[in-house]
Amino acid sequence: MEKEQKDEGHFDKTQTLKDAGMIELSVPCHRPSSNEQRKEEEPHELLVPDLCSLPLTPPTAVDCNFTCYFAPDFMKPDHDQYVYRHPNGLCVIGLASTHVALKDNRVKTVDFNVGKSNRSEIKVSGKRKRNAQRFEPNTALCKVSTSNDDTSYIVRCCVKGSLLEVNERLIKQDDLLNSSADREGYIAIIMPTPTDWIKAKNQLLSLEEFKKLRGLC
């Protein structure tokens, strides 16, 4: 009887401290399985690329947003032009770095007043591209003059399509052709039909083919 009373009045100090949160209960550590570990690693691999696989220089906006094509010797020898095609179908036309007018940074003026109209005065508006004129691949876009005895070169469309705009910055900042012909110094933007683009594409070279042709590899 006396033993039972002692047991009933026994004070369990350890249990009381545990209940008060002053002693942590030991919880068995959960080790993730191989499948769980793999699921955790997959997002990390997507977000953090392998440093060894990264290029030495980051891709340009042109590399990311356009497919590059080239029209070498278009109409005349050394008249190399590029055609950057956007996924929406637009084509940016310009002078390739190997164009004869760009040698030794000799471009002096750019004149859009060629043919029967001034290309810079053509204003296209609305979703239906009102006032857009359809040009042939050999239609002149502008005339580029150089400081070498005032020699001039005609820049052409390269692809059949509607002229949406010309780069009017070249009128006052013609030096853009010397410093950035492949980017800010583009000549014009043209929208070919899907059928016209297929025909034009068959006449153009890819970037790799053009580099191999001009020994730029």
Side-chain angles (χ1 to χ4, degrees):
M1 187 70 179
E2 204 174 307
K3 184 177 180 181
E4 291 179 359
Q5 290 178 351
K6 286 183 179 180
D7 290 340
E8 291 176 357
H10 176 67
F11 177 71
D12 192 342
K13 182 178 180 181
T14 301
Q15 184 63 41
T16 303
L17 292 177
K18 288 181 180 180
D19 294 340
M22 299 178 66
I23 296 181
E24 295 183 358
L25 296 174
S26 60
V27 179
C29 179
H30 171 69
R31 294 185 178 181
S33 64
S34 58
N35 290 336
E36 292 175 335
Q37 187 174 2
R38 181 58 184 171
K39 290 181 180 179
E40 293 178 358
E41 291 176 353
E42 286 179 354
H44 182 271
E45 292 177 356
L46 293 174
L47 296 174
V48 184
D50 183 9
L51 294 178
C52 297
S53 64
L54 294 177
L56 296 178
T57 57
T60 65
V62 172
D63 296 332
C64 295
N65 300 310
F66 294 87
T67 302
C68 302
Y69 298 92
F70 291 85
D73 301 322
F74 194 78
M75 302 292 291
K76 289 185 178 181
D78 297 325
H79 283 54
D80 298 345
Q81 294 185 223
Y82 64 73
V83 179
Y84 295 160
R85 180 171 169 82
H86 193 271
N88 63 10
L90 292 177
C91 291
V92 179
I93 311 299
L95 300 186
S97 60
T98 52
H99 194 285
V100 63
L102 298 181
K103 292 181 179 179
D104 302 323
N105 293 342
R106 299 177 299 149
V107 173
K108 185 173 63 173
T109 59
V110 177
D111 186 6
F112 288 102
N113 189 11
V114 291
K116 297 180 179 180
S117 64
N118 189 331
R119 310 308 189 202
S120 63
E121 294 178 353
I122 300 175
K123 304 302 179 183
V124 179
S125 62
K127 293 183 178 181
R128 296 183 179 274
K129 310 302 180 185
R130 290 190 296 270
N131 300 325
Q133 296 185 15
R134 286 185 59 78
F135 290 152
E136 296 294 324
N138 61 350
T139 302
L141 287 172
C142 67
K143 180 173 64 175
V144 175
S145 299
T146 66
S147 57
N148 184 17
D149 298 328
D150 292 328
T151 304
S152 61
Y153 304 91
I154 299 297
V155 182
R156 304 183 186 276
C157 293
C158 294
V159 297
K160 182 180 180 179
S162 300
L163 177 64
L164 301 186
E165 69 173 61
V166 297
N167 189 0
E168 296 184 13
R169 293 177 61 189
L170 296 176
I171 299 175
K172 296 182 178 180
Q173 303 178 40
D174 50 83
D175 193 57
L176 283 175
L177 273 177
N178 295 321
S179 61
S180 184
D182 60 337
R183 297 185 300 279
E184 291 86 351
Y186 70 94
I187 300 296
I189 298 177
I190 293 178
M191 171 62 85
T193 64
T195 302
D196 289 336
W197 169 246
I198 293 175
K199 294 179 181 179
K201 182 180 178 182
N202 293 333
Q203 305 299 321
L204 301 174
L205 299 183
S206 66
L207 176 59
E208 293 73 17
E209 292 171 336
F210 181 73
K211 285 183 175 182
K212 185 176 180 180
L213 176 67
R214 292 295 184 236
L216 302 176
C217 297

